[in-house]
Amino acid sequence: MKRLWNLLISLEVGLVLLALVCIVMGAGSFGLSGDVATALNSMPLFVWLAEFSLATTWWLWLTIVLLALLALNTLCCSADTVFQRFSSNAILAWLPPQLIHAGFLLIVLAHLQSALWGFKGAIEIPEGAGFQLPDGAAVQVARVGAIFSPMGGDRPLGYKALLVTQETAGQGGVTISPNHPWFSNGYGVYIKHAEPGQPPVALLEVHREPGAAMAMAGAVLFTIGNLLLLHTRSRSREFMLESDEA
Amino acid sequence: MQPLLLTFAAFCFFGAFNRWLLALGLAAGISYLGLRGWSLGRLPLVGPHDTIAFFAVSLAAMGLATRLSRPLRSAAWFNAAVGIMAGIFGGLALIFPVRSMPMPAILDTLWFELHVVLAFFAYALFGIGAIVSAGWLAVRDRSLMDIQFKTALAGWSFFSASMVAGGIWGYYAWGTYWLWTPKELWTSILWLFYALVLHLRLKGAKWDVLSAWLGVLGFVVTLFTYLGVSLLMKSSHSF
């Protein structure tokens, strides 16, 4: 049991896993193009993994296994440090890396959550028509338009659409544009493109990222830990340099 | 405006032996970026010319800042290496055409600007780390490994913050904080690579040789992530 624990908290194991994840992801990146890549970004990860053959997906399966082991190694290392040093006064010496680890673990969990229970859908819809979100909410696309630079030019910088729903009807609808989606019950409606015509047609995407909140929490924890680590490490180095000189 | 960038590249490259010339070059580089940003009405961060120029100026700035640390104050080799590296990238920026197009709406957000600026500060620090690592391999002065660790840690921190900003931007722009593109994969590889470099430090001085070589290799991974993916691989997420 002790040997297994030592293996789980081993720094060497962590280093090897980090190196292997880099190598496997690097190898996989060279095959990530064409229809396979398009499909990967148009559906949740585990749906894609189930749909394509192992000859295409091997590197991502391997990455997931290695990341799972790395997450376990991270969790065990942090648990070991917290158990051993919890009562020590030098909290700033051991806490920042554990916050970074906690942030990393939350982000990995967030990816897993989105990969399992996420939703991605696309729809081409003419102005004036409507569609339903997966939860049944009705959305009408009242207007489709383009965004042009105030300095002129005939190429649009982006597109916009006026959406009218039961929620937004009171305020005359809500306009979506790049970086300004509309959210309802965890679903986000995004405008990707539009084609002029009579009527103009919008390409909309509907996404659900159940891991987004957890990823944000992880990012906040990670950033706090990172800032504390920078603060403590720079102070300890300066102290060491001054001690050396003394 | 182009002569300012040329001045930057020339002062960095040919004046690399002198920190004051390097500082003058940096002033010219910052002036170039400032004027270009003013003419565009935004930070110049789109397209190969602007991003390489921003990277080159970041390299010179981070190099001069790192030079303030005690072991490097009198290290002429460090000054020269930083200047030559910044000068090369400044010159490379001049090869690419200057495009003054309006910002596509998808990029018109603070999260995009933060994402790119922080990433270039990180890339620059990884470059400085590579110079310090190479310096350690040549002279074996342990204090250089402390600086290598600091640059890697600061660079990794900037890079992590850049990834957070990129994730937030992606969530509002594309509906997801993560896309499976070669650029994002290599971004993760770079982040994990420097996580490895930082953890290797815990193994102690016996591992300094490997640490130093990884510090040099890290800059190769950085350049591939930044330039290689954009120029050699098909990715929707590139300049």
Side-chain angles (χ1 to χ4, degrees):
Chain A
M1 199 63 186
K2 178 77 180 159
R3 278 183 68 184
L4 177 65
W5 181 249
N6 284 341
L7 188 69
L8 287 172
I9 63 168
S10 159
L11 175 62
E12 288 79 4
V13 168
L15 292 172
V16 170
L17 287 170
L18 280 167
L20 286 177
V21 178
C22 289
I23 292 165
V24 173
M25 283 173 96
S29 72
F30 288 95
L32 195 59
S33 60
D35 294 343
V36 172
T38 308
L40 180 52
N41 285 312
S42 63
M43 59 184 82
L45 175 63
F46 280 102
V47 177
W48 183 84
L49 287 171
E51 247 178 52
F52 285 83
S53 70
L54 201 60
T56 307
T57 61
W58 66 270
W59 65 275
L60 251 175
W61 281 113
L62 198 50
T63 301
I64 291 168
V65 170
L66 290 168
L67 274 175
L69 291 172
L70 187 64
L72 182 65
N73 177 257
T74 307
L75 183 68
C76 293
C77 278
S78 275
D80 190 63
T81 306
V82 172
F83 287 140
Q84 285 192 20
R85 302 181 69 179
F86 188 67
S87 55
S88 108
N89 287 330
I91 189 165
L92 273 181
W94 62 264
L95 186 63
Q98 314 324 318
L99 289 177
I100 291 176
H101 284 177
F104 168 70
L105 289 172
L106 281 180
I107 290 168
V108 170
L109 274 178
H111 274 281
L112 185 65
Q113 209 179 346
S114 290
L116 283 168
W117 298 298
F119 174 85
K120 291 177 183 182
I123 182 171
E124 274 189 350
I125 188 154
E127 187 177 273
F131 65 98
Q132 278 195 328
L133 293 180
D135 65 356
V139 182
Q140 198 216 348
V141 182
R143 212 162 25 250
V144 176
I147 302 163
F148 289 95
S149 167
M151 291 176 281
D154 47 8
R155 275 187 66 183
L157 300 178
Y159 302 93
K160 59 184 177 180
L162 177 68
L163 305 181
V164 180
T165 66
Q166 206 174 9
E167 265 178 68
T168 64
Q171 68 226 35
V174 61
T175 300
I176 59 167
S177 59
N179 295 307
H180 300 285
W182 174 68
F183 293 104
S184 169
N185 286 331
Y187 291 96
V189 183
Y190 299 79
I191 185 159
K192 297 286 159 163
H193 190 68
E195 284 293 335
Q198 290 299 333
V201 177
L203 172 62
L204 303 182
E205 282 188 5
V206 177
H207 287 240
R208 184 170 175 270
E209 285 278 356
M214 196 187 283
M216 193 63 218
V220 169
L221 261 186
F222 188 99
T223 306
I224 293 170
N226 208 338
L227 289 171
L228 283 173
L229 186 72
L230 277 171
H231 174 67
T232 53
R233 290 298 183 271
S234 63
R235 275 180 62 195
S236 63
R237 262 320 112 201
E238 288 306 320
F239 175 74
M240 277 174 64
L241 283 171
E242 278 162 22
S243 306
D244 288 350
E245 282 186 354
Chain B
M1 269 186 284
Q2 292 268 70
L4 270 176
L5 186 58
L6 188 63
T7 308
F8 162 77
F11 269 55
C12 286
F13 195 86
F14 298 108
F17 57 90
N18 184 303
R19 72 186 153 123
W20 294 111
L21 288 177
L22 192 58
L24 269 176
L26 177 62
I30 291 172
S31 305
Y32 172 74
L33 291 179
L35 286 171
R36 175 127 179 85
W38 186 64
S39 74
L40 289 168
R42 58 172 167 83
L43 289 178
L45 299 169
V46 181
H49 170 83
D50 285 340
T51 59
I52 296 173
F54 194 90
F55 176 48
V57 175
S58 301
L59 263 172
M62 294 299 173
L64 276 174
T66 309
R67 200 186 174 282
L68 295 175
S69 58
R70 217 160 289 147
L72 292 175
R73 275 181 205 163
S74 54
W77 61 267
F78 176 76
N79 216 69
V82 169
I84 290 168
M85 195 187 263
I88 288 172
F89 283 103
L92 186 63
L94 285 162
I95 295 171
F96 288 93
V98 183
R99 295 212 173 99
S100 299
M101 56 188 181
M103 184 85 112
I106 198 90
L107 307 181
D108 193 7
T109 158
L110 176 70
W111 293 115
F112 165 75
E113 290 183 336
L114 256 180
H115 171 59
V116 179
V117 167
L118 292 169
F120 279 113
F121 287 169
Y123 291 168
L125 279 162
F126 294 152
I128 300 302
I131 291 172
V132 176
S133 298
W136 181 85
L137 286 166
V139 299
R140 305 281 165 141
D141 171 2
R142 181 100 224 286
S143 60
L144 291 178
M145 287 311 282
D146 289 339
I147 295 169
Q148 188 243 25
F149 174 76
K150 273 187 175 179
T151 55
L153 180 60
W156 190 72
S157 303
F158 275 124
F159 202 58
S160 303
S162 163
M163 287 174 82
V164 171
I168 295 171
W169 170 43
Y171 185 65
Y172 284 104
W174 293 298
T176 178
Y177 49 88
W178 175 264
L179 281 170
W180 290 100
T181 65
K183 187 76 168 186
E184 256 128 328
L185 281 174
W186 277 91
T187 297
S188 303
I189 290 167
L190 185 61
W191 186 85
L192 290 163
F193 184 91
Y194 275 95
L196 190 158
V197 170
L198 293 171
H199 280 87
L200 192 62
R201 169 94 172 171
L202 299 170
K203 296 284 292 170
K206 277 186 193 167
W207 291 75
D208 277 356
V209 175
L210 181 60
S211 263
W213 278 112
L214 288 180
V216 176
L217 181 63
F219 192 52
V220 177
V221 180
T222 303
L223 288 181
F224 188 80
T225 303
Y226 166 38
L227 294 170
V229 173
S230 294
L231 298 174
L232 305 174
M233 298 170 91
K234 272 192 173 176
S235 178
S236 59
H237 183 163
S238 54
F239 47 61

